[in-house]
Amino acid sequence: MSNQDARTPRVFLVRHGETEWAKFGRYTSTTDVELTAKGALQVSSAAPIPRKRAIKTFELLMQSPPSTTAECEVTYTEDIAEWNYGDFEGLMEWEIKSLIKTKGLLQGREWNIWGDGCEGGESMQQVTERLDRLISQIRLIQKPYMNGEKPADVLLVAHGLILRCFLKRWLGLSLDFPLEMMLAPGAIGVLSYKKNNISIPAFHAGIALPFPDEN
């Protein structure tokens, strides 16, 4: 990554730490579930509205002040809330598929949340619309500073599925586009723009570390 690219605004995606429901694979959106002790450690180790688990994750991340004098603005928005699972809330994937089969939904076709959404919850289109709205707001903030004129990084603390949805929309992909991704509890992903160009959104497959003599 060139020094020029290093000054391009970034978007950091942070998934909240482990919860009891997430640990066992239960679909969790509107239900408030606390972080486990392990979940708190996952986030603390990553640190040098949203639900309780996302708020707690943010608080743990920010308990050590950033090493920059730049001002930080905190905003809570439902545009990055987890996909509303509706009738599937609290269920594991095999339970959802069994329920769909029992109700005769999808006519025997395998359920896929990316394209099928959730009965009683959100559709793919609804999730797409709110994520696109958030992405437009972020790009409006970052566009004037594509060459590092002023710090304009954005930190998003949210939930596993919606962050993977966000990455797809950041790249201009449909939510049902087959792009396999992993984002463990407490994990951090980084998005930015290629060639300092607001029209070329990209994700970092890897970030070059600074040389020892660099600030």
Side-chain angles (χ1 to χ4, degrees), residues 83 114 124 127-128 131 165 168-169 173-177:
W83 195 314
W114 301 101
M124 180 179 74
V127 174
T128 297
L131 289 179
C165 291
K168 286 187 177 183
R169 292 308 301 152
L173 302 174
S174 172
L175 294 190
D176 58 357
F177 184 86

Side-chain angles (χ1 to χ4, degrees), residues 68-186:
T68 176
T69 58
E71 295 183 1
C72 297
E73 180 179 343
V74 178
T75 301
Y76 298 98
T77 173
E78 287 295 310
D79 284 346
I80 196 63
E82 183 59 296
W83 195 314
N84 188 324
Y85 298 132
D87 297 347
F88 302 154
E89 180 77 6
L91 302 181
M92 290 184 279
E93 188 167 341
W94 69 266
E95 293 176 309
I96 294 173
K97 291 181 177 179
S98 177
L99 178 63
I100 289 173
K101 185 177 181 180
T102 299
K103 290 187 174 183
L105 303 175
L106 304 180
Q107 299 180 340
R109 179 170 58 81
E110 189 81 354
W111 173 76
N112 184 302
I113 189 171
W114 301 101
D116 298 323
C118 298
E119 187 179 15
E122 284 187 292
S123 67
M124 180 179 74
Q125 183 60 34
Q126 289 173 313
V127 174
T128 297
E129 288 175 359
R130 60 182 173 93
L131 289 179
D132 286 356
R133 181 168 56 242
L134 177 58
I135 289 171
S136 294
Q137 293 171 349
I138 291 173
R139 290 182 180 158
L140 186 64
I141 293 170
Q142 294 183 331
K143 186 176 181 179
Y145 311 111
M146 296 305 291
N147 292 292
E149 295 87 348
K150 176 183 175 181
D153 288 342
V154 171
L155 170 68
L156 294 180
V157 181
H159 318 280
L161 181 62
I162 200 64
L163 287 175
R164 285 179 284 156
C165 291
F166 183 93
L167 187 150
K168 286 187 177 183
R169 292 308 301 152
W170 183 264
L171 299 177
L173 302 174
S174 172
L175 294 190
D176 58 357
F177 184 86
L179 179 65
E180 297 297 336
M181 294 172 282
M182 295 183 293
L183 189 65

